[in-house]
Amino acid sequence: MKLPLNMLAHMRTATRNLMGQGPAAATEAIQQALAAAGLAPQAASAQQPPPQAMRDINPPPAPPPAPPSAQARAAQPQADAAPEAPPVPPTPAQAAQDFAQDFMARLGVPVGLGQHSFDMPSFEMPSFHPPGFNAPATTPAELPAGAQFIDGVYRNHAGTRSYKLYIPSSYHGQAMPLIVMLHGCTQNPDDFAAGTQMNALAEEKECFVVYPAQTQGANSSRCWNWFNAIDQQRDQGEPSLIAGIARQVIDDYPVNEREVFVAGLSAGGAMAVIVGTLYPDLFSAVGVHSGLPFASAKDLPSALAAMKGGAMPNAQRQAPAGGVPIIVFHGDRDTTVNPRNGDELIAQGVRSQAGGKAAKAASMDGSVPNGHRYTRTTHSQADGSPLGEHWVIHGAGHAWSGGSGSGSYTDGKGPDASREMLRFFKTVS
């Protein structure tokens, strides 16, 4: 569905109005915007019923009715059906949720099993638990002898975030690379570590891995707020917290500062792009799985439009010049974040690094035994130095490619995104 530009303008106005005004005012503001665009659902345009009198939601149980007499049973062998109770009007919160779900459906965003509705003050990415996908990991994986998976906390003017740092058993004081991993919506560090198997690769490749944790206070589905304007600025919001976590680990351990990388999935992938773009002095490369381009949204309506397929003018998606190398994975059957975002993301990343110079591109097709086929396109400068890689995984949806079923949102059919990201990071360091 192609969204009219005036609809987005009305929605942005509604978004500004709804912040901090409560669910009733929020619903009314969005309804007005959709009505102005000619897209208001019937349920939203219906007159609201008068408020109901308050009552105890847990009244004491009524005594059971006396059993009918034998004469009554004989005279009425089949009890008459009880009169149908009048429909109970929805509460304001229910009306807001019904409206939000209808709005998401009109934009083509899946609203199936396991999804959440809107959190008005801080829009949450739809949670995507397609049937057949595994639930989040509930227990941490067993550690190899000598390895550590420790808790940490970082604070600055933007707030506080906890994190978990994996220290491989091979660490004995030597300098090692650092990978910053940003989880997707509803996930946490233990779950993301289990699904991506990045800790196992850290044992093999000898590197630190840190997993910042989003809070429910910042986003009720624990999504990184990639669509907020404040969270797209250097030294502000969540980018400053994530960069601060990386710097705190660098201060505490002998990290090779030329080998600090950031990667993420979905909302975490979109935030990884933002952080890598804003801090090229800190991060040497970016890995993105099922994410979105830099500054692809500024508010709730543009976030939904970007997920659907991209609505902001191309000029507004330009990343600052002088970016860092990037590797992108995206399934071509992804119905949560349109695969066109992967195309735009790699084009944006290559453009920001090339500085107007021509870049070379080469594509090859491959397949994983008993798994997915894929198309891998490499982008490089004239001298052969890498600018980026784009992996389109044929038949894959919104899940970490090659991940383990011990974590959520993974597709074990491969290719192995974690291993390929570390291989790419090694080539650019």
Side-chain angles (χ1 to χ4, degrees):
M1 180 178 73
K2 186 175 181 181
L3 300 176
L5 292 178
N6 65 335
M7 180 242 182
L8 292 179
H10 287 301
M11 285 302 299
R12 290 190 182 97
T13 301
T15 303
R16 288 193 296 269
N17 291 338
L18 64 84
M19 299 303 179
Q21 298 183 25
T27 303
E28 182 180 357
I30 301 179
Q31 289 171 356
Q32 290 174 354
L34 285 183
L39 293 174
Q42 289 183 347
S45 61
Q47 186 174 359
Q48 292 291 328
Q52 301 297 302
M54 294 183 65
R55 67 182 191 277
D56 187 354
I57 61 173
N58 292 303
S69 64
Q71 280 186 330
R73 288 196 299 270
Q76 194 177 17
Q78 293 183 346
D80 294 334
E84 189 172 320
V88 178
T91 65
Q94 290 170 336
Q97 174 154 334
D98 292 344
F99 168 76
Q101 296 289 1
D102 181 87
F103 176 50
M104 290 171 69
R106 285 169 179 267
L107 287 178
V109 179
V111 290
L113 178 66
Q115 289 188 332
H116 295 254
S117 59
F118 290 124
D119 174 71
M120 293 297 185
S122 180
F123 166 66
E124 58 191 53
M125 281 266 290
S127 297
F128 37 90
H129 251 318
F133 275 81
N134 39 309
T138 56
T139 57
E142 187 173 340
L143 297 179
Q148 301 178 69
F149 202 19
I150 61 176
D151 296 305
V153 175
Y154 176 77
R155 298 178 178 88
N156 71 5
H157 65 280
T160 302
R161 292 296 184 275
S162 62
Y163 61 86
K164 295 198 74 169
L165 173 66
Y166 186 79
I167 304 172
S169 60
S170 56
Y171 171 65
H172 300 292
Q174 74 275 29
M176 298 195 301
L178 171 64
I179 317 296
V180 179
M181 294 287 287
L182 302 178
H183 62 72
C185 297
T186 75
Q187 295 181 313
N188 59 45
D190 287 314
D191 176 40
F192 198 41
T196 61
Q197 295 288 279
M198 196 61 81
N199 290 353
L201 283 171
E203 283 289 325
E204 178 185 332
K205 304 296 184 181
E206 298 190 2
C207 58
F208 300 107
V209 188
V210 65
Y211 300 84
Q214 178 64 303
T215 66
Q216 281 192 302
N219 186 288
S220 60
S221 284
R222 295 193 178 95
C223 307
W224 296 100
N225 291 305
W226 56 273
F227 46 84
N228 286 343
I230 191 66
D231 296 306
Q232 298 172 7
Q233 301 177 38
R234 183 180 171 107
D235 299 331
Q236 298 293 327
E238 292 175 0
S240 73
L241 290 163
I242 294 165
I245 288 172
R247 288 179 175 137
Q248 184 162 292
V249 175
I250 292 171
D251 290 341
D252 292 344
Y253 295 89
V255 171
N256 184 339
E257 296 187 37
R258 296 183 60 186
E259 297 184 83
V260 180
F261 312 101
V262 60
L265 168 66
S266 191
M271 184 55 73
V273 174
I274 292 171
V275 173
T277 300
L278 296 177
Y279 295 91
D281 52 325
L282 177 60
F283 297 102
S284 298
V286 177
V288 185
H289 205 310
S290 310
L292 298 99
F294 176 80
S296 55
K298 295 292 186 182
D299 49 27
L300 184 154
S302 60
L304 289 171
M307 290 167 59
K308 176 64 179 176
M312 293 182 67
N314 217 22
Q316 292 180 265
R317 290 190 172 203
Q318 300 297 325
V324 297
I326 185 168
I327 181 168
V328 176
F329 290 81
H330 217 119
D332 64 5
R333 298 290 180 88
D334 189 336
T335 58
T336 301
V337 176
N338 192 295
R340 285 197 295 271
N341 283 289
D343 299 334
E344 295 177 9
L345 178 51
I346 192 70
Q348 181 190 74
V350 169
R351 226 174 19 242
S352 68
Q353 296 173 77
K357 298 178 182 179
K360 298 188 299 182
S363 294
M364 60 161 287
D365 293 326
S367 63
V368 176
N370 301 315
H372 289 302
R373 294 182 301 106
Y374 59 85
T375 299
R376 173 191 173 212
T377 303
T378 59
H379 300 266
S380 59
Q381 296 178 349
D383 62 2
S385 55
L387 297 172
E389 285 188 18
H390 186 200
W391 293 67
V392 177
I393 307 162
H394 304 300
H398 197 80
W400 189 273
S401 180
S404 165
S406 58
S408 63
Y409 311 137
T410 61
D411 183 348
K413 294 182 178 179
D416 188 339
S418 297
R419 184 172 293 275
E420 294 297 339
M421 282 186 183
L422 290 191
R423 188 263 315 155
F424 177 78
F425 292 161
K426 195 65 178 177
T427 66
V428 302
S429 60

